[in-house]
Amino acid sequence: MSKKIAMIFPGQGSQSIGMGKSFYENSALAREMFEKTGERIGVDFAKLLFEENDQLDKTEYTQPAILLVSMIAYKLFQESRPSDAVMFLGHSLGEFSALCASGAINYVDAVELVHKRGKLMSQACESINAGMMAILGLDDAVVEELCAKANSEGKQVWPANYNQAGQLVVAGIKEDLQSMESVFKEAGAKRALLLNMSIASHCPLLSSAMEPLGEAMEAMVNDSFSAPIVSNVTTEKYATKSEALKLLKVQLIQPVKYKQSIEAVAGEIDMMIEFGNGAVLKGLNKRNAPDVETLGISDMESLSKVCEALS
């Protein structure tokens, strides 16, 4: 009996210099994808990904780079061992990779779309001192309560990424986040770490990006879903263009419920395969769904190992 596989895709923070190089050096398809996407948005992806630079961590470049490497991994896997997914799922930006893998958007269009998304997010935060903070060792409910109390006092701090039990990232105005560091620690947090970011993802500070992102998606997304996508916003599945447009716009200002999504679908699947650099989601899934194996494809060696494991 064939395994029920969820194909999953990482988001921002998974990037690193050198990612995708194994694919680029060993696959004509990978080189073609580098070239086509680079031409579309005017970026030399080989230079961006393989040479030391300060561009890769800028969100308008981070997002297309991560999506490109994820889609190369996915397409090479499908070329090596064609496999159907019962669902697709991504973490934040990774939901756009999931949309692409499902067939609802062409990979070149998807790279252009997330390049625009990154620009819109940066623009929304350019006139404010925005940031994000990782909270370790506190229950979600405690973080939520502390953020709600801060909101009532006029501070702009919100839960942004539910990654795993005891790991929640909050977003908002940097000064407000810094003022909350001692509050989180007094409540029992092991760490309250301000991240090296100049945007505040998945909170109301990005509301100005919603409509222009929706307009760009309208022209690029279609209704050809090979399998449903699990929404970061609702943890429920969708498989239509209209739902994708609505949910991916709202995703900008609503928290990523990654932990809850994995918990919601774990009973429906036998395995997850992560496509893209590193093994960020595989690490999270050890706690989110310890009984479901997660394999990862980030280079040619891991591609071979996953194909062998499935044969």
Side-chain angles (χ1 to χ4, degrees):
M1 188 173 69
S2 61
K3 290 184 179 293
K4 295 177 181 177
I5 301 173
M7 299 187 181
I8 65 176
F9 302 86
Q12 228 164 312
S14 63
Q15 74 273 10
S16 64
I17 296 293
M19 70 180 190
K21 193 170 187 180
S22 172
F23 296 140
Y24 185 84
E25 291 178 342
N26 293 283
S27 166
L29 174 60
R31 291 190 291 275
E32 178 187 329
M33 291 175 71
F34 266 70
E35 184 177 342
K36 285 186 174 180
T37 53
E39 286 177 358
R40 174 66 71 88
I41 66 170
V43 170
D44 183 339
F45 275 111
K47 187 174 182 179
L48 178 69
L49 294 180
F50 308 149
E51 298 177 14
E52 290 295 332
N53 65 85
D54 59 1
Q55 296 289 95
L56 184 58
D57 288 330
K58 293 181 179 178
T59 190
E60 62 262 45
Y61 299 107
T62 309
Q63 295 194 28
I66 290 171
L67 187 142
L68 173 61
V69 173
S70 287
M71 291 317 302
I72 289 171
Y74 178 74
K75 287 183 178 291
L76 291 179
F77 170 71
Q78 292 294 2
E79 198 177 61
S80 301
R81 195 189 186 287
S83 303
D84 292 330
V86 295
M87 66 186 75
F88 298 96
L89 191 152
H91 186 294
S92 185
L93 162 72
E95 193 170 336
F96 288 83
S97 301
L99 191 72
C100 190
S102 77
I105 184 171
N106 174 276
Y107 79 87
V108 181
D109 287 342
V111 163
E112 180 182 351
L113 179 63
V114 300
H115 181 50
K116 183 176 184 66
R117 180 178 182 261
K119 285 183 176 179
L120 290 168
M121 292 169 71
S122 294
Q123 289 165 5
C125 294
E126 64 187 0
S127 62
I128 56 176
N129 192 19
M132 302 185 78
M133 176 179 277
I135 312 301
L136 306 181
L138 276 185
D139 289 342
D140 295 344
V142 175
V143 178
E144 291 165 353
E145 184 180 341
L146 293 174
C147 287
K149 186 174 185 294
N151 294 158
S152 71
E153 296 169 351
K155 293 180 180 179
Q156 298 184 74
V157 179
W158 299 272
N161 294 339
Y162 292 82
N163 291 330
Q164 65 178 32
Q167 186 188 123
L168 203 164
V169 177
V170 296
I173 299 298
K174 196 165 287 185
E175 289 83 357
D176 292 344
L177 292 170
Q178 289 170 325
S179 74
M180 292 291 291
E181 181 178 352
S182 60
V183 176
F184 289 127
K185 287 183 176 177
E186 285 169 13
K190 293 177 182 176
R191 294 191 75 184
L193 178 66
L194 196 65
L195 302 177
N196 183 26
M197 298 186 71
S198 58
I199 58 170
S201 299
H202 309 294
C203 75
L205 297 177
L206 294 186
S207 58
S208 64
M210 292 175 67
E211 288 310 313
L213 177 65
E215 290 170 9
M217 289 180 64
E218 177 66 47
M220 295 180 178
V221 178
N222 59 61
D223 264 312
S224 303
F225 289 72
S226 62
I229 296 170
V230 181
S231 167
N232 282 182
V233 174
T234 65
T235 77
E236 297 175 355
K237 303 183 193 73
Y238 65 92
T240 66
K241 175 178 178 175
S242 61
E243 290 172 298
L245 265 59
K246 175 185 174 184
L247 291 166
L248 286 167
K249 280 170 58 180
V250 174
Q251 191 219 53
L252 284 169
I253 63 167
Q254 291 290 327
V256 170
K257 297 178 180 175
Y258 181 77
K259 179 191 76 169
Q260 296 92 325
S261 296
I262 294 297
E263 290 172 349
V265 304
E268 303 175 35
I269 56 178
D270 302 313
M271 174 184 289
M272 289 178 271
I273 304 176
E274 178 180 2
F275 297 89
N277 190 52
V280 175
L281 302 185
K282 182 178 180 179
L284 296 180
N285 289 350
K286 286 181 180 179
R287 292 197 66 182
N288 294 329
D291 296 329
V292 180
E293 183 179 18
T294 301
L295 305 178
I297 298 176
S298 58
D299 54 24
M300 296 302 286
E301 182 182 1
S302 54
L303 170 64
S304 296
K305 287 181 178 178
V306 171
C307 289
E308 185 179 336
L310 293 175
S311 61

